[in-house]
Amino acid sequence: MRRSRGLTAALVLSLAGAGTGIGLVLMPQASAITAPVAFTADELPTWQPDGIVWAMAQAEGTVFAGGTFSAVRPPDGTAGAEQEAVNFVALDAATGKPTSCKLAFTIGDGTATVRTLVVSKDKKTLYAGGYFGAVNGTPVSSIAAIDIASCTPKAAFHPGFPATVRGLAVTDDTLYAAGDFTTVEGQSRERFAAVDAGSGALKPFKANADEPGRAVEVTPDGKNVLLGGDFFTVNNANSHALAVVDATSGAVKKTYTNIPSNSVVKDISTDDTGFYTGNEGSGGGVFDGRIGLRLSDFTEKWRDRCLGATQFVLPYEGVLYSSSHAHDCSTELEFPDGKRNFLLAQPTNHEGAAPAPVDGFVRGPAKLGWHPTANDGLGEGIGPRVMAVAEKNDVKYMWVGGEFTLINGKAQQGLTRFASTGDVGAPTTPVASASSVKPGEAQVRWRTSYDADDSKLTYRIYRNGSTTPAATVTASSLEWERPQASWNDTTVKAGQTYTYRVTATDAAGNTSALSATTSVTVPTSVQSYPDQVRADGAELYWRYDDTVSPYVADSSVSGNRSGVQVNTPALKQSPGAIGGSTAMGFNGTSQQVHSDRRQSVGSTFTLETWFKTNTTRGGKLIGFGNNTARSSGSYDRQIYMTNTGRLVFGVYNGTTRTVTTGLFDTYNDNKWHHVVGTQGPGGITLYVDGQKKDTLNATSNATYAGYWHVGGDNLGSWPNRPTSNFYAGQLDETAVYPSALTDAQVKKHFDLAKAPTDTVSAVKATEDTYVNQGAPSTAYGTSTSLAVRGTSAYQTYLRFNLPAAPAGQVLKSAALHFKTSTQAGAGTADTVSVVPVTGNWTGAGTTFNTKPALGSPALGTIAGVPDASAVHSVDLNTAAITAALGSNYSLGLTSAGTDPLWIWSSESTAAEGTPQLVLTFGAK
């Protein structure tokens, strides 16, 4: 028995140094993993059998594995190193290598197999069950006792079990068995029996079942026995798949009738937190998950209804580890039907109050961040079958056996193991983006990373190439739930451009690569449309300004409803619906975006998006469904287009309730249109281009958890269903609100979209060089770095091809951006001035002796630049730059001091550091 470790609190988002310079940098312990998980997800080298492992037990640092196999081989499969292992192998828990203990389980007729192993309480005897007639030639009958010290079968222990034994449990004096047998020692014992643990003599215990027994376990107090299997009756009492009986007599103490008839119990485990079942079945309404039950009265405390044939459950230090091929945990509000998840962990008990029952069952505790991968493998293609925890030299090992042939994507058959120390797997690299809709604030956001044994990760945000983080954020994620995390930089200046990169670090200190650089230019005035969407409470806001797949950033204030692109929609489609923003293009056959985390939606909400199309096949613009990339089985709260270009908005509340634009109100004219659907106490309302089109008194909708979809998903048999479920065209500025927008708010959004917005141009230097008084005849036009100093003099020259102001706009601000190089002392304590160049120059031909003349006054100055490679910005005189718009324009960098400044040139590979002018244009 093992004490349960106290469960950690829910993982939350925390900030250090928010909006300031230096964030708190944590230095985790090298062996740490996210509690309460006790093991890393990094597989260790382990010898592997040539068949299937069905059974596992451990004692004093040795792991015993039984199954159907004939040999074991080294982890690397070295030719000639294979060892004979007839349905059994003993391995060192710490090395994964076979020990000197060799046992062969054989039978004269048929195929021998070992199906269950258990070790006595004193760790001296190993009991084995299965289908076999001899161990190392000693006659037995499907059950055997092995002296562990000598690795020899106990000849005096040979009770007669004429059919397969599938489960064993042992106390100080009694061995309980479950299986296919109907007699033991010639006496009636149907599927369950008990024998003396020492002599093998049959005991009076009777718990006769009508179908095979698969699992047997004794409660910690030794007074009761837990039975699992295929049965429907025990001692003539109706109880399907699970029952509790008296440990001495076998009399029924507790029956169960709420496990579906097409499901069975494959395994039962117990500790002082309760007892737990692993279940599998087939057919409609199947139960394939896990049940947690109380030891006090044997009642159910929770039921995890994930689908995917649970084979084994192992409670350990407050966590229930399980082997299965779980592929659909929708009922648990976790991953939808899709890829198989073979190894899972969840707390044995809910932390705090359990959730309210759904369909009469309390949902299971949420999954934890332990997620090694496997595959279906051999035989029935089940994957992992059995688990055991062994300890040696103060290190704990989780051993797993089964049918798999891959672990974590690498070849490994039948056996693998994971340790409590030595986490070496780094998180995936974050995918970052940044945006700004008003002066003084930039939102940096990223899709959270995935780490197979750490659900809580630490993110560090680096600004302008600095090696010191500007902020540190802690956020949680799982393999199937990667919500966006974000940080608001409130020290940014209007009109300036900033770059950001993000890393993820796990609890052991393993750190991902830096994310790709993302940049944002802070506007000099509020961008009215996106600012209003945020102010009106959008909880999801996809602007589609993303530059990489598959991440779609959420620009809402909360910033945690990111999206995932499916089948690579077209990015950066221009012009978008709103000035300064781009759109996303969809092909109408397979492309969509779905939200990155499951949620529930109430009966008050608003959907909003802009669209542009000329399709005649219709398709879904936006909707809610219970799946992700696969077609949803539950779906409503959707706006879609008919083949003729009409728009339909509706919900499902037992019947389909929809509103539609007029017969002649069609919108497939290849122009941008604004559509809004709301539901609230007044029913549902459809708006197009700021105008109310139709209403209906429908105040409720379907209750289920799901994901938002744009561009496509199931439309079923909804009214005026188009030819295609998928939309062909462009979408922009998609938002979802937890409230029903008013008529006035909808109209305001439409009107604001027509308001002029700032235009930002980042103009890179077309040519650059510097001159050096110490080498007066040398030209530096191809140098990757540039220099500025007063004595002895360095001067830098930059040429830009300036655009003309967009129609109806004027220049509102201008700034020069440059990045200091990585060489020691690249910064300067001196003031550097930016001045106009009045003379002629070329990168290839200009030297100190032929340098051009410089003008005055200075366009801008920067009073010192700190060391360390980072991007810096100098505000420039707007009037002077305005006068040069539409021409080639040269700037010079000069200083009067003796401390040199070194910066990257346009020839450098430091892309974010290329000298550039950032020009912001706005309305006159």
Side-chain angles (χ1 to χ4, degrees):
M1 304 252 271
R2 301 177 177 91
R3 291 283 170 189
S4 297
R5 178 187 299 169
L7 303 183
T8 56
L11 301 179
V12 296
L13 187 72
S14 64
L15 298 178
T20 59
I22 300 176
L24 174 65
V25 179
L26 305 177
M27 297 302 294
Q29 296 178 357
S31 62
I33 46 183
T34 301
V37 169
F39 306 96
T40 79
D42 303 316
E43 79 287 351
L44 296 174
T46 308
W47 280 58
Q48 48 196 312
D50 59 357
I52 298 170
V53 172
W54 294 96
M56 196 174 286
Q58 65 83 31
E60 309 298 344
T62 298
V63 173
F64 308 105
T68 311
F69 50 86
S70 60
V72 292
R73 60 187 184 276
D76 60 4
T78 304
E82 186 176 86
Q83 295 183 15
E84 184 179 61
V86 183
N87 302 314
F88 176 88
V89 63
L91 305 112
D92 185 286
T95 67
K97 298 178 180 179
T99 70
S100 59
C101 178
K102 310 293 182 184
L103 297 172
F105 288 76
T106 58
I107 197 166
D109 184 22
T111 301
T113 183
V114 176
R115 290 302 179 105
T116 178
L117 294 168
V118 67
V119 171
S120 63
K121 302 303 181 184
D122 61 9
K123 306 295 184 182
K124 294 181 178 180
T125 304
L126 171 68
Y127 296 96
Y131 183 65
F132 46 84
V135 180
N136 284 1
T138 298
V140 292
S141 182
S142 292
I143 198 165
I146 310 298
D147 179 72
I148 293 176
S150 63
C151 187
T152 57
K154 294 183 177 181
F157 184 92
H158 51 76
F161 283 76
T164 302
V165 174
R166 300 184 180 275
L168 292 173
V170 66
T171 66
D172 291 336
D173 59 3
T174 303
L175 181 68
Y176 296 90
D180 300 348
F181 51 85
T182 57
T183 64
V184 176
E185 291 290 298
Q187 298 186 47
S188 175
R189 294 291 191 274
E190 298 180 13
R191 281 81 185 202
F192 295 97
V195 298
D196 186 276
S199 68
L202 185 64
K203 289 199 167 190
F205 175 91
K206 281 190 177 182
N208 291 334
D210 60 332
E211 294 289 347
R214 295 180 181 271
V216 61
E217 186 64 81
V218 182
T219 57
D221 61 9
K223 296 179 180 179
N224 298 284
V225 176
L226 313 169
L227 311 179
D230 301 17
F231 53 81
F232 291 86
T233 64
V234 177
N235 289 342
N236 296 317
N238 291 329
S239 191
H240 175 52
L242 181 66
V244 182
V245 299
D246 181 82
T248 302
S249 67
V252 175
K253 303 284 286 292
K254 175 73 174 178
T255 60
Y256 298 87
T257 58
N258 62 356
I259 295 176
S261 60
N262 56 355
S263 297
V264 302
V265 168
K266 293 298 293 289
D267 184 51
I268 304 174
S269 292
T270 186
D271 68 359
D272 54 6
T273 66
F275 71 98
Y276 306 90
T277 70
N279 304 263
E280 78 165 14
S282 61
V286 68
F287 173 54
D288 259 357
R290 293 154 293 284
I291 304 175
L293 302 105
R294 300 175 183 89
L295 287 168
S296 57
D297 58 5
F298 310 122
T299 58
E300 185 172 313
K301 54 184 180 179
W302 54 259
R303 180 174 296 208
D304 184 319
R305 292 185 288 168
C306 291
L307 297 176
T310 303
Q311 301 299 301
F312 201 84
V313 286
L314 176 58
Y316 182 75
E317 294 188 346
V319 173
L320 185 68
Y321 297 89
S322 59
S323 59
S324 68
H325 54 243
H327 58 86
D328 185 354
C329 281
S330 299
T331 58
E332 303 305 297
L333 307 185
E334 294 171 329
F335 51 87
D337 194 12
K339 70 180 289 289
R340 292 187 166 192
N341 300 275
F342 294 92
L343 295 168
L344 298 174
Q346 62 196 127
T348 52
N349 291 321
H350 287 284
E351 184 172 357
V358 177
D359 299 330
F361 301 107
V362 174
R363 196 166 59 244
K367 308 300 183 298
L368 299 169
W370 185 71
H371 197 67
T373 63
N375 68 339
D376 293 337
L378 310 170
E380 298 176 36
I382 292 293
R385 289 276 189 181
V386 65
M387 313 170 84
V389 174
E391 185 171 348
K392 189 169 184 180
N393 300 328
D394 296 324
V395 178
K396 301 167 186 175
Y397 298 91
M398 169 66 79
W399 280 73
V400 180
E403 298 177 333
F404 52 84
T405 57
L406 293 174
I407 292 292
N408 291 335
K410 302 172 185 175
Q412 180 68 31
Q413 181 174 332
L415 282 170
T416 192
R417 61 200 174 99
F418 309 92
S420 58
T421 61
D423 180 12
V424 297
T428 60
T429 303
V431 180
S433 65
S435 70
S436 179
V437 301
K438 57 185 177 184
E441 180 181 302
Q443 184 189 54
V444 186
R445 58 278 174 101
W446 57 94
R447 189 185 190 207
T448 48
S449 299
Y450 164 59
D451 188 280
D453 43 33
D454 286 282
S455 54
K456 185 178 182 180
L457 300 174
T458 298
Y459 299 89
R460 295 182 177 90
I461 303 98
Y462 298 89
R463 186 172 75 176
N464 289 347
S466 173
T467 56
T468 300
T472 298
V473 173
T474 301
S476 61
S477 56
L478 295 168
E479 195 266 351
W480 52 84
E481 185 172 277
R482 306 265 299 278
Q484 177 176 292
S486 62
W487 170 69
N488 285 334
D489 188 347
T490 57
T491 65
V492 295
K493 297 179 180 179
Q496 294 191 12
T497 298
Y498 296 84
T499 64
Y500 300 92
R501 302 183 80 178
V502 183
T503 63
T505 302
D506 68 16
N510 301 304
T511 299
S512 74
L514 280 162
S515 71
T517 299
T518 183
S519 64
V520 60
T521 300
V522 182
T524 56
S525 60
V526 174
Q527 295 181 355
S528 300
Y529 181 87
D531 187 61
Q532 192 65 51
V533 170
R534 288 160 57 93
D536 283 342
E539 64 179 9
L540 177 155
Y541 185 19
W542 296 343
R543 304 203 67 197
Y544 306 114
D545 295 330
D546 311 282
T547 59
V548 296
S549 297
Y551 166 76
V552 175
D554 175 17
S555 295
S556 70
V557 173
S558 57
N560 60 8
R561 304 279 184 190
S562 53
V564 178
Q565 302 165 31
V566 177
N567 294 322
T568 59
L571 307 180
K572 304 291 285 184
Q573 302 293 288
S574 186
I578 309 300
S581 178
T582 58
M584 183 173 284
F586 298 83
N587 62 10
T589 59
S590 63
Q591 294 171 341
Q592 62 162 302
V593 173
H594 63 78
S595 55
D596 212 6
R597 61 189 304 183
R598 183 182 291 271
Q599 67 178 106
S600 296
V601 179
S603 56
T604 299
F605 66 90
T606 297
L607 311 182
E608 177 180 40
T609 196
W610 289 78
F611 66 94
K612 177 183 177 184
T613 183
N614 59 4
T615 184
T616 58
R617 301 178 71 248
K620 181 180 292 191
L621 278 67
I622 181 171
F624 192 68
N626 70 333
N627 218 320
T628 51
R630 293 189 178 188
S631 183
S632 294
S634 298
Y635 45 91
D636 78 327
R637 304 168 179 86
Q638 56 190 9
I639 299 172
Y640 58 95
M641 177 175 281
T642 70
N643 288 347
T644 61
R646 298 171 69 189
L647 295 174
V648 181
F649 166 58
V651 297
Y652 180 82
N653 59 6
T655 59
T656 301
R657 310 298 302 278
T658 62
V659 288
T660 310
T661 57
L663 185 62
F664 300 106
D665 287 337
T666 56
Y667 299 96
N668 54 348
D669 55 5
N670 216 30
K671 298 179 181 178
W672 281 112
H673 294 284
H674 178 234
V675 60
V676 174
T678 69
Q679 183 178 36
I684 60 174
T685 304
L686 174 63
Y687 303 84
V688 182
D689 293 339
Q691 302 298 314
K692 184 184 296 184
K693 292 297 181 180
D694 199 2
T695 62
L696 181 68
N697 183 25
T699 59
S700 62
N701 52 46
T703 301
Y704 60 95
Y707 306 83
W708 291 109
H709 296 252
V710 299
D713 193 18
N714 199 356
L715 285 170
S717 57
W718 277 50
N720 299 307
R721 178 183 176 179
T723 300
S724 176
N725 287 342
F726 291 88
Y727 163 81
Q730 295 178 345
L731 292 173
D732 200 5
E733 305 293 323
T734 299
V736 177
Y737 306 77
S739 61
L741 296 184
T742 65
D743 294 358
Q745 286 176 308
V746 173
K747 181 64 164 59
K748 185 175 184 179
H749 286 201
F750 178 72
D751 291 341
L752 285 176
K754 306 303 179 184
T757 59
D758 290 352
T759 301
V760 179
S761 295
V763 184
K764 293 185 178 180
T766 58
E767 192 172 18
D768 52 39
T769 192
Y770 77 100
V771 296
N772 178 3
Q773 188 175 17
S777 300
T778 302
Y780 295 93
T782 59
S783 174
T784 59
S785 58
L786 306 168
V788 183
R789 183 172 63 191
T791 307
S792 61
Y794 298 140
Q795 290 180 355
T796 282
Y797 313 110
L798 309 169
R799 178 174 287 115
F800 300 92
N801 185 13
L802 299 184
Q809 294 188 329
V810 296
L811 184 67
K812 299 177 70 176
S813 68
L816 173 67
H817 291 224
F818 60 82
K819 185 179 182 181
T820 46
S821 74
T822 53
Q823 73 181 66
T828 181
D830 300 327
T831 295
V832 175
S833 298
V834 183
V835 298
V837 178
T838 58
N840 296 322
W841 65 277
T842 65
T846 298
T847 68
F848 188 85
N849 289 335
T850 62
K851 66 182 186 296
L854 302 179
S856 62
L859 303 172
T861 60
I862 183 167
V865 177
D867 283 341
S869 184
V871 175
H872 300 274
S873 179
V874 185
D875 291 330
L876 303 181
N877 182 283
T878 304
I881 303 301
T882 296
L885 292 176
S887 69
N888 282 315
Y889 188 63
S890 293
L891 298 175
L893 300 184
T894 185
S895 172
T898 59
D899 187 13
L901 170 70
W902 289 92
I903 64 175
W904 293 121
S905 75
S906 59
E907 283 81 11
S908 168
T909 57
E912 66 184 22
T914 300
Q916 58 185 291
L917 281 177
V918 177
L919 309 176
T920 301
F921 300 94
K924 295 180 179 179

